[in-house]
């Protein structure tokens, strides 16, 4: 062993961290890496991706479908399609409004500074959590059983799924309301209701308004697929067309949904800007990664 | 009348005009909203009597899904309620696998597409435009519609569900990723370019290390959403617990409905908690470096 080599070995022993991960760490990493690869392979196997013939045949069928989808055509059903689209928009708007009418009082009640009784607030909040945990489409399936096929089931499903989320958002906004403003109103001799009206409501109403528009946008998306389980709207037409292999009409309906969603998003964004100003148009994508 | 009086009168008049203008504007807005609501209630077949009937029916339905006490003790009742637990747990695991695999595939595709979709990272405007439109389409078409189409093409089973959720994930993550890329610091890229690095190298060593923690945290967030989605795509035959839930709701097996819905809520909540901790760990590391 030469002098440099022994010096090198001594350095390695004295400062192991400088020479990269130790053999034990490397082995551990290799084991974890192998396990991860195995897990992914297992997932591919379990979901049927390793069945090459099925995959190949499916892709072939998909290409065949695409040929039938283009060009999209309404084949004389345009008026029915537009009616279904109007139904979808109506379901979204009325469902959102219904959810709001119920969620605003519930949200105020779920706020600590409005209802100081833990005994009442706790079950209310758990109930709202339960509503929130169930997806709109599950609600739609249930309401189709309760009130029958049609857009009314969709309206109820949208409202039921949104009440929980909305009440939570409103409750949090009420709890986070600036105390100084509330105290200021109270110091002028205002009663409980007046404090609510002039101390809390002005702080909460922008939150309610902007969320109303957000929920409307997202509900137009939801309402467009609720028809798949029979709850009315354009989704019903779409799933019917797919079931009977009318692919050019299916594509036409998909494009119609895209245009409607885009139009509602644009309208709602401009309304939001006018009602509450620029600040609220910021969204999660604006977050810069820290340097 | 003196000057102060005039000034006060002017202010009062201006205030009155402003008030009238605001009243008029909110009046028009309110009237438009009312008309829209009336139209939507008409087209979606909502009537007050049906509303009352619907809420009553929902409460009745809820009552029927509650497990019955047979008087043989809590354990026996629970066993009766969750008689299919073994099968349901397997289906739930399938659902989580569908969500995880779809997230992995979607995030990988989104990662690849997020660089050409970032306006400031590519020279060719048409490449950027094209990539963005593809991502938009993948994002805007609902998961369930893709699932319907893929079930037709690939047959009933989780394969269709994974593909449907993966495509939707590509669209939504691709948009978020490309926005993060656009906000990345240009210093490292220019430094790498100066050393003679090509496009791939300057992306790999200049951009990726900056954006990876944010990508990871968005991907975990998407995983939470995708597990929820995976529980739903089964409704059209795309595998997982949703297929079973669809069956028991359609066949009016009431106690099973509540049993499965509670299992789904528990699974989703557990995954949210784990993923939230992971996300905080990822973001924490980002803040340290």
């Amino acid at each position: 062993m030469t002098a440099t080599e022994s010096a090198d070995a001594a350095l390695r022993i004295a400062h192991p961290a400088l020479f990269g991960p130790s053999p034990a760490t490397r082995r551990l990493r290799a084991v974890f890496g192998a396990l991860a690869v195995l897990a992914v392979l297992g997932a591919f196997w379990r979901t049927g991706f390793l069945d090459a013939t099925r995959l190949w045949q499916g892709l072939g069928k998909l290409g065949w479908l695409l040929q039938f989808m283009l060009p999209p055509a309404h084949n004389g059903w345009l008026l029915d399609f537009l009616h279904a689209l109007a139904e979808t928009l109506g379901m979204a708007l009325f469902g959102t409004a219904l959810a709001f009418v119920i969620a605003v009082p519930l949200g105020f009640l779920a706020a600590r500074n409005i209802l100081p009784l833990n005994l009442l607030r706790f079950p209310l909040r758990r109930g709202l959590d339960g509503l929130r945990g169930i997806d709109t489409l599950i609600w739609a399936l249930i309401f189709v059983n309760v009130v029958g096929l049609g857009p009314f089931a969709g309206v109820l499903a949208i409202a039921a799924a949104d009440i929980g989320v909305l009440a939570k958002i409103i409750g949090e906004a009420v709890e986070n309301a600036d105390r100084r403003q509330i105290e200021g109103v109270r110091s002028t001799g205002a009663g409980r209701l007046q404090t609510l009206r002039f101390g809390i409501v002005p702080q909460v109403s922008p939150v309610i308004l902007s969320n109303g528009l957000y929920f409307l946008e997202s509900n137009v998306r939801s309402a467009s697929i609720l028809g798949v389980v029979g709850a009315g709207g354009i989704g019903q037409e779409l799933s019917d067309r797919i079931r009977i292999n009318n692919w050019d009409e299916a594509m036409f309906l998909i494009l119609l949904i895209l245009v409607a969603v885009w139009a509602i998003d644009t309208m709602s964004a401009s309304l939001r800007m006018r009602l509450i100003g620029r600040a609220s148009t910021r969204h999660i994508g604006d977050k810069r990664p820290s340097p | 009348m003196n000057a102060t009086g005039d000034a006060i009168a002017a202010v009062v008049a201006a205030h009155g005009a402003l008030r009238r203008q605001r009243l008029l504007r909110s009046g028009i807005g309110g009237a438009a909203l009312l008309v829209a609501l009336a139209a939507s209630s008409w087209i979606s077949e909502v009537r007050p009597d049906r509303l009352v009937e619907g809420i009553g029916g929902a409460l009745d339905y809820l009552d029927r899904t509650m497990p019955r006490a047979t008087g043989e003790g809590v354990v026996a009742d629970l066993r009766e309620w969750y008689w299919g637990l073994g099968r349901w747990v397997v289906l739930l695991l399938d659902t989580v696998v569908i969500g995880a695999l779809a997230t992995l595939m979607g995030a990988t595709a989104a990662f690849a597409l997020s660089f050409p979709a970032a306006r400031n990272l590519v020279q060719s405007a048409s490449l950027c435009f094209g990539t963005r439109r593809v991502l938009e389409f993948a994002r805007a078409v609902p998961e369930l519609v893709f699932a319907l189409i893929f079930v037709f093409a690939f047959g009933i089973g989780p394969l269709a569900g994974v593909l449907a959720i993966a495509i939707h994930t590509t669209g939504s993550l691709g948009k978020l990723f490309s926005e993060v890329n656009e906000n990345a610091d240009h210093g490292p890229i220019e430094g790498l370019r100066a050393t003679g690095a090509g496009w791939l190298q300057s992306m790999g060593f200049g951009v990726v290390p900056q954006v990876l923690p944010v990508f990871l945290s968005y991907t975990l967030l998407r995983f939470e959403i995708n597990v929820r989605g995976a529980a739903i795509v089964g409704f059209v035959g795309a595998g997982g617990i949703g297929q079973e839930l669809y069956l028991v709701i359609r066949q009016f097996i009431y106690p099973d409905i509540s049993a499965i819905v509670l299992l789904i809520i528990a699974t989703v909540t557990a995954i949210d908690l784990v993923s939230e901790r992971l996300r905080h760990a990822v973001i924490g590391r980002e803040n340290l470096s």
Side-chain angles (χ1 to χ4, degrees):
Chain A
M1 201 188 266
T2 62
T4 31
E5 268 175 3
S6 66
D8 188 49
L11 272 175
R12 267 181 194 277
I13 292 164
H15 308 282
L18 292 179
F19 290 88
S22 68
T25 319
R26 276 188 208 169
R27 228 171 294 139
L28 205 67
R29 277 189 195 166
V31 168
F32 270 116
L35 281 179
V37 169
L38 271 181
V40 172
L41 270 180
F44 272 120
W45 169 77
R46 176 81 195 165
T47 49
F49 272 92
L50 299 189
D51 185 349
T53 42
R54 188 175 165 204
L55 214 57
W56 188 245
Q57 277 170 2
L59 283 177
K61 233 171 167 180
L62 215 55
W64 176 80
L65 283 187
L66 217 58
Q67 278 181 359
F68 278 95
M69 279 181 169
L70 301 172
H74 56 75
N75 298 340
W77 292 98
L78 186 60
L79 277 182
D80 295 69
F81 289 173
L82 288 179
H83 181 264
L85 184 65
E87 211 171 80
T88 299
L89 297 180
M91 277 158 62
L93 183 61
F94 204 86
T96 314
L98 190 61
F100 261 87
V101 169
I102 301 170
V104 168
L106 284 182
F108 272 87
L109 282 180
R112 197 170 300 134
N113 46 356
I114 301 285
L115 187 69
L117 288 171
N118 275 322
L119 213 62
L120 283 176
R121 210 179 59 240
F122 185 79
L124 178 64
R125 286 199 162 185
R126 292 296 84 76
L128 292 174
D129 283 343
L131 282 178
R132 198 165 60 233
I134 303 176
D135 193 89
T136 319
L137 210 67
I138 300 178
W139 281 116
L141 206 53
I142 289 175
F143 277 116
V144 164
N145 281 353
V146 173
V147 299
L149 295 171
F152 182 52
V155 169
L156 292 180
I158 289 173
D162 278 2
I163 287 171
V165 195
L166 268 174
K168 184 185 161 74
I169 291 173
I170 293 167
E172 274 170 5
V174 173
E175 278 183 357
N176 292 334
D178 190 354
R179 288 194 58 80
R180 284 169 300 184
Q181 199 166 329
I182 302 169
E183 275 160 20
V185 174
R186 201 172 283 154
S187 72
T188 65
R192 271 191 78 86
L193 264 182
Q194 283 163 320
T195 314
L196 197 67
R197 166 65 186 87
F198 295 103
I200 298 178
V201 169
Q203 295 191 55
V204 180
S205 58
V207 178
I208 296 183
L209 268 177
S210 72
N211 275 298
L213 290 167
Y214 273 128
F215 274 76
L216 184 65
E217 285 173 43
S218 115
N219 283 338
V220 170
R221 286 163 210 266
S222 311
S224 66
I225 52 161
L226 289 184
V228 172
V229 297
I234 201 160
Q236 197 141 9
E237 299 280 348
L238 180 59
S239 67
D240 286 350
R241 292 307 185 281
I242 291 179
R243 271 178 202 137
I244 59 172
N245 272 320
N246 278 5
W247 294 101
D248 50 347
E249 288 166 29
M251 192 63 192
F252 188 86
L253 284 164
I254 291 176
L255 292 179
L256 207 56
I257 294 177
L258 295 190
V259 170
V261 165
W262 172 81
I264 292 284
D265 282 5
T266 313
M267 252 169 58
S268 145
S270 81
L271 253 181
R272 196 162 39 234
M273 206 107 99
R274 286 179 62 180
L275 285 174
I276 21 217
R278 249 196 120 70
S280 65
T281 56
R282 255 180 67 99
H283 54 87
I284 189 168
D286 292 340
K287 184 171 163 287
R288 276 168 171 274
S290 57
Chain B
M1 202 186 266
N2 54 25
T4 331
D6 280 352
I8 290 174
V11 167
V12 167
H15 176 249
L18 212 62
R19 238 186 113 89
R20 272 194 298 282
Q21 198 189 346
R22 275 194 65 171
L23 261 176
L24 187 70
R25 264 181 31 199
S26 39
I28 291 173
L33 184 66
L34 277 182
V35 168
L37 276 177
S40 26
S41 80
W42 173 73
I43 200 158
S44 53
E45 299 165 16
V46 180
R47 287 192 313 270
D49 56 317
R50 285 191 79 189
L51 213 54
V52 173
E53 175 202 337
I55 290 167
L59 291 178
D60 185 41
Y61 193 92
L62 192 72
D63 180 49
R64 271 188 232 181
T65 62
M66 289 296 131
R68 296 281 164 246
T70 51
E72 287 167 26
V74 179
V75 177
D77 286 347
L78 267 180
R79 197 166 286 160
E80 171 78 16
W81 190 22
Y82 276 96
W83 64 276
L85 187 63
R87 214 158 58 89
W88 294 338
V89 167
V90 171
L91 284 171
L92 271 171
L93 283 178
D94 271 355
T95 303
V96 176
V97 167
I98 293 173
L101 195 56
T103 310
L104 184 68
M105 290 170 68
T108 310
F111 178 81
L113 292 176
S114 70
F115 292 95
R119 203 168 282 144
N120 52 355
L121 297 184
V122 282
Q123 298 291 321
S124 148
S126 54
L127 178 69
C128 178
F129 182 84
T131 319
R132 283 179 167 226
R133 293 297 87 76
V134 168
L135 289 178
E136 228 161 55
F137 184 80
R139 186 171 62 242
V141 177
E143 255 163 33
L144 210 68
V145 174
F146 279 129
L148 272 171
I149 295 172
F150 290 148
V151 164
F152 182 86
F154 294 95
I156 286 178
L159 180 60
V162 173
L163 286 175
I165 300 176
I167 289 189
H168 194 78
T169 303
T170 305
S172 54
L173 279 185
K175 180 192 182 201
L176 291 174
F177 285 2
S178 70
E179 278 169 358
V180 176
N181 279 344
E182 282 176 354
N183 286 330
D185 184 7
H186 264 244
I189 307 173
E190 278 157 28
L192 280 159
R193 285 256 164 84
T195 67
W199 187 78
L200 267 182
Q201 285 164 322
S202 51
M203 291 299 119
F205 298 104
V207 182
V208 172
Q210 293 186 54
V211 296
L212 208 55
V214 187
F215 280 17
L216 266 178
S217 103
Y218 279 155
T219 304
L220 282 170
L221 206 60
R222 194 68 215 177
F223 173 56
E224 297 170 31
I225 299 170
N226 282 350
V227 172
R228 289 182 169 80
I232 294 305
V233 289
F235 281 18
V236 296
I241 191 84
Q243 229 163 315
E244 179 84 0
L245 182 61
Y246 186 76
L247 216 68
V248 297
I249 294 182
R250 270 290 147 93
Q251 298 181 342
F252 301 99
I253 310 173
Y254 289 108
D256 284 14
I257 300 174
S258 60
I260 294 177
V261 165
L262 284 180
L263 276 179
I264 293 178
I265 294 180
T267 310
V268 165
T269 313
I271 283 181
D272 283 4
L273 287 177
V274 173
S275 153
E276 199 188 333
R277 296 197 71 159
L278 276 174
R279 261 189 296 133
H280 282 312
V282 170
I283 292 287
R285 200 162 65 210
E286 175 205 8
N287 284 340
L288 281 178
S289 62

